Amino acid sequence: MAEQYRHIHVLSDNVVNKIAAGEVVERPASALKELIENALDAGATQVDVDIVSGGRTLIRVSDNGTGMDRNDALLSIERHATSKIRDVNDIEGIDTLGFRGEALAAVSAVSRFRLRTRRHSDLAGTEISVSGGKIQDVRETGCPPGTAVEVRNLFFNVPARRKFLRSEQTELFHIRQVFVVCALAHLNVGIKLTIDGRKIYSLPGKSLLEDRLRDMFPSTSSPGLKSVNYTLNNIAVSGYISFPDNTRADRAEQYFFVNRRPARAALLSRAVRDGYHSMIARDRHPIIFLFIRLNSSLVDVNIHPTKKEVKFRNPGEVHDILAKAIRDALGTAEAKKIAHRGLSRFPSAGPQSGYIPGSLKGMESSSHVRKFSYPRQPAVPDVQPERAASQEEKKASEGVEKKVAAGETPSASPWAWYRILGQVGGLYIVIETEDGLVLMDPHAAHERVLYEQLLAEVINGEIKSQQLLIAETVDMTLKDAMVVRQYLDLLKKMGFGIAEFGGDTFVIDAFPACLGQVSCRNLLEDITVALEESGDKTGTGHLLEMTIARAACRSAVKAGKQLTPEEIEQLVDQLARAEMPYTCPHGRPTLIHTSFQELNKRFGRK
Ligand code: ADP
Ligand code: MG
């Protein structure tokens, strides 16, 4: 079948502009980025950002920069019109953020756009209105010196793009990200963010990095952060990073700047991971504000607006120096912190940290003889294995040997009889059962226990809350606060006594009793991530389960925590009663079972 022949035709400017616009303006946040960068390029010392409805309704950026005269204002919205380069040689030495002359043309092609601008020396300013790329009106106007750009109804004339805008919350998240990055990279400039009429940040100019961090990240205030200052081979790394106990479940609070420009690269994330190596769990991410400075010939700064990764001439070297800088900072800091607290929170897996509960010590070495023969039949609840133990052994194992009473055992119980032998490797609990040997991961086990407990309470509507003696206020990031606000009811259903306190702060005066001692802030942050991950896709049932699983994980005993014999005993007992004792809510095993049969086989016994 022959394709219908189509003649070539040149696209109209209008269509070309819309296509080009798509490359520059992906979403409200990318338009915002262009507008702020223009303000900074114009030498502004104050930039005010106003957002309405996640940027769909309005994005406004006002600055006190140079402003433009009428001619330049008209040129500024033409494609490839720029004041920043003249020819291709200028690109090498570029020191402005933009230079392609595309942004205003693109933004004004896909929105209802208004530009008001006045040079400081002029008496009157110029106002230009554009709708979908067509100039509607140009007039003289009275306005303050500088430039204000208003972008309304973004993508109103490009339905295909409009459809791809995500929820207001998601767009706001990206907007905040753009704002934060600009605020961190331009400490000299005062910058303000207002969302739906609410003042979110108002950051004075001539700030120190510390000031900005305190204003924008109150929840990560400096006690939790460590300064970094490291130079090697003319590559300098400076900024702040979080201590290993101050982490998040996602990478949302990791900011890198290369030669003052915001930068992203897999290499940078990898270097962070390597810098922290064994200090944090694999699914946790530290908070990072790092500035890397190096000779500009060693990095590709000619970054296309959509090209997000920076390119280094010597990536390996940058990786190594960054990782070293982090290790260096944490090395001294962590050593001091631990000395200060007098305890190690990162026990090595060496034998010295292997914990044998006091009352179990005797049993460790007792070479007792068991009379009943292996292998035994699969556990039946009412079978008590016949045992002929010596007097001492009986004494030693008092309180740790258990027969699970008939009737109270759920059918899923992994054993009918068990005896706890101790904790090995500072982690795993070793249990003898009637037909073999069981290794239990206490964290995973505790996670399972808490999960089922909390889920049952929520489902039966008999949630037990524990009242806090002193209500705790939790400052959240703008993004997290938005999620919490959206799911306030769900959190209350889970047993949280939580209320808005104004701004992005919440007061918590109660939380689910079974979660025990846990940091409100960490718990809430984790739950926020769970809610966000599952929020879009799933029904509330699944949402609840995910959230509870996350809460259980946060509150469960940490790997490496030394448990008392009583705690071990309680945990083993609770796990045995769980409905699904064999995995944690995320599907990792809680128990590894080796039967005597298997041992016999491996020892070559018949
Ligand atoms: P680019 O920034 O790549 O030059 P833009 O389309 O973003 O392209 O802007 C075009 C031109 O308009 C800029 O080169 C600059 O001269 C002028 N301009 C844009 N925004 C401002 C502003 N806020 N203040 C002063 N001049 C501006
Ligand atoms: Mg620009």
Side-chain angles (χ1 to χ4, degrees):
M1 253 205 293
E3 276 273 310
Q4 194 193 351
Y5 187 80
R6 292 173 196 230
H7 283 286
I8 298 173
H9 59 106
V10 174
L11 294 173
S12 73
D13 278 357
N14 195 349
V15 176
V16 171
N17 281 346
K18 277 196 202 170
I19 294 172
E23 282 178 31
V24 183
V25 189
E26 269 179 284
R27 59 183 352 150
S30 38
L32 176 65
K33 173 170 175 286
E34 295 292 340
L35 298 183
I36 297 181
E37 288 185 349
N38 279 348
L40 296 168
D41 282 345
T45 57
Q46 180 64 41
V47 178
D48 296 346
V49 178
D50 278 283
I51 302 292
V52 176
S53 320
R56 278 171 200 250
T57 305
L58 173 70
I59 304 166
R60 178 169 46 218
V61 176
S62 322
D63 68 59
N64 65 353
T66 55
M68 289 176 268
D69 64 17
R70 184 187 171 102
N71 268 343
D72 279 352
L74 280 164
L75 271 176
S76 73
I77 51 173
E78 296 287 324
R79 273 190 89 199
H80 307 307
T82 179
S83 57
K84 299 169 193 176
I85 57 170
R86 286 212 167 266
D87 63 45
V88 62
N89 295 326
D90 293 343
I91 294 176
E92 277 301 312
I94 191 91
D95 62 353
T96 53
L97 297 164
F99 62 83
R100 296 165 173 276
E102 286 180 321
L104 293 191
V107 174
S108 61
V110 293
S111 67
R112 300 188 210 279
F113 175 98
R114 193 171 72 155
L115 171 74
R116 305 172 103 214
T117 185
R118 172 159 84 86
R119 294 191 305 181
H120 292 244
S121 54
D122 292 344
L123 292 174
T126 307
E127 176 177 318
I128 300 177
S129 305
V130 184
S131 179
K134 290 193 199 75
I135 295 184
Q136 308 289 313
D137 187 31
V138 184
R139 64 171 76 177
E140 211 179 81
T141 187
C143 62
T147 303
V149 177
E150 271 181 21
V151 177
R152 289 180 191 273
N153 308 106
L154 188 64
F155 299 135
F156 81 96
N157 57 343
V158 199
R161 284 222 157 246
R162 206 175 160 74
K163 258 206 323 247
F164 278 101
L165 284 180
R166 301 277 305 279
S167 67
E168 182 175 328
Q169 206 187 93
T170 306
E171 297 305 338
L172 274 180
F173 165 65
H174 290 283
I175 283 171
R176 172 188 174 264
Q177 215 67 355
V178 163
F179 181 91
V180 164
V181 162
C182 287
L184 291 178
H186 302 276
L187 301 172
N188 279 330
V189 179
I191 182 164
K192 212 154 61 184
L193 176 64
T194 306
I195 292 179
D196 298 333
R198 236 174 77 159
K199 194 185 81 188
I200 304 292
Y201 301 120
S202 179
L203 310 168
K206 302 203 181 79
S207 307
L208 297 173
L209 176 60
E210 292 75 19
D211 301 330
R212 295 252 152 129
L213 292 182
R214 196 185 45 241
D215 289 341
M216 290 192 288
F217 301 89
S219 58
T220 63
S221 58
S222 52
L225 295 178
K226 169 73 183 128
S227 69
V228 177
N229 243 313
Y230 186 85
T231 307
L232 190 70
N233 298 344
N234 285 323
I235 299 182
V237 183
S238 63
Y240 286 86
I241 59 176
S242 65
F243 284 106
D245 57 353
N246 186 4
T247 59
R248 292 178 53 92
D250 60 23
R251 283 203 188 85
E253 307 297 1
Q254 298 196 344
Y255 301 89
F256 300 98
F257 300 85
V258 175
N259 291 346
R260 296 242 142 230
R261 283 167 192 261
R264 256 198 278 168
L267 148 86
L268 300 174
S269 310
R270 226 179 309 122
V272 165
R273 167 104 357 257
D274 292 345
Y276 279 83
H277 61 137
S278 62
M279 285 183 253
I280 50 177
R282 216 175 313 143
D283 58 347
R284 304 293 306 176
H285 304 282
I287 297 155
I288 302 284
F289 307 98
L290 280 182
F291 295 77
I292 300 161
R293 265 171 300 128
L294 74 175
N295 188 306
S296 59
S297 66
L298 297 176
V299 56
D300 184 4
V301 294
N302 182 5
I303 310 162
H304 188 269
T306 57
K307 210 198 280 171
K308 282 159 189 151
E309 296 236 322
V310 294
K311 285 230 158 50
F312 296 100
R313 215 45 58 86
N314 306 318
E317 188 180 26
V318 174
H319 168 279
D320 292 352
I321 290 176
L322 192 54
K324 182 82 175 46
I326 290 171
R327 235 170 291 146
D328 208 60
L330 293 175
T332 44
E334 204 42 44
K336 276 198 205 105
K337 240 190 158 186
I338 288 168
H340 177 67
R341 295 185 189 180
L343 55 91
S344 162
R345 286 163 310 125
F346 311 108
S348 65
Q352 74 280 8
S353 64
Y355 175 66
I356 303 159
S359 70
L360 301 178
K361 259 181 189 141
M363 298 164 32
E364 259 282 309
S365 49
S366 75
S367 60
H368 52 273
V369 186
R370 297 187 48 146
K371 283 285 167 61
F372 69 84
S373 56
Y374 315 119
R376 292 189 59 85
Q377 295 302 306
V380 193
D382 58 355
V383 163
Q384 176 171 22
E386 50 177 290
R387 295 177 39 79
S390 70
Q391 275 305 101
E392 293 121 66
E393 188 200 329
K394 248 194 188 136
K395 217 186 270 161
S397 51
E398 236 166 36
V400 285
E401 182 184 325
K402 283 278 164 63
K403 180 179 87 86
V404 180
E408 74 174 90
T409 324
S411 53
S413 178
W415 44 67
W417 169 92
Y418 68 88
R419 192 164 68 103
I420 298 165
L421 300 179
Q423 196 175 15
V424 296
L427 175 58
Y428 299 109
I429 289 162
V430 188
I431 305 164
E432 180 191 1
T433 67
E434 69 277 3
D435 65 348
L437 193 70
V438 170
L439 294 173
M440 179 176 104
D441 178 332
H443 174 76
H446 199 199
E447 235 180 286
R448 162 57 60 183
V449 168
L450 290 178
Y451 173 74
E452 289 193 5
Q453 221 172 314
L454 189 50
L455 195 61
E457 285 180 14
V458 172
I459 286 171
N460 300 332
E462 48 195 34
I463 187 87
K464 294 186 197 74
S465 276
Q466 57 177 338
Q467 210 66 31
L468 295 176
L469 281 179
I470 302 164
E472 197 173 317
T473 56
V474 181
D475 295 318
M476 308 215 72
T477 62
L478 171 67
K479 172 197 160 209
D480 289 350
M482 288 188 299
V483 179
V484 170
R485 235 172 260 134
Q486 188 181 353
Y487 293 105
L488 221 49
D489 284 343
L490 183 77
L491 290 167
K492 285 180 186 157
K493 213 170 134 197
M494 280 177 62
F496 283 92
I498 180 166
E500 290 200 57
F501 191 67
D504 295 329
T505 305
F506 294 85
V507 210
I508 299 185
D509 62 2
F511 64 91
C514 63
L515 297 184
Q517 299 293 315
V518 64
S519 145
C520 284
R521 178 164 73 81
N522 290 344
L523 184 60
L524 210 53
E525 264 175 19
D526 278 11
I527 288 178
T528 305
V529 171
L531 285 171
E532 208 183 22
E533 278 170 1
S534 58
D536 284 354
K537 304 177 265 293
T538 50
T540 47
H542 183 70
L543 196 67
L544 186 71
E545 283 170 32
M546 290 268 301
T547 309
I548 290 177
R550 187 68 75 151
C553 178
R554 170 53 82 174
S555 329
V557 291
K558 294 289 162 282
K561 178 176 183 256
Q562 306 197 339
L563 298 168
T564 65
E566 291 73 28
E567 285 170 331
I568 294 178
E569 211 184 306
Q570 196 189 2
L571 192 54
V572 173
D573 188 56
Q574 287 175 325
L575 185 68
R577 292 163 199 273
E579 256 168 62
M580 235 311 285
Y582 298 98
T583 59
C584 81
H586 304 104
R588 275 184 294 109
T590 52
L591 301 170
I592 292 176
H593 181 252
T594 311
S595 68
F596 291 129
Q597 206 169 5
E598 203 176 322
L599 287 178
N600 290 344
K601 205 154 71 192
R602 295 185 61 180
F603 279 111
R605 284 176 180 274
K606 273 263 165 132

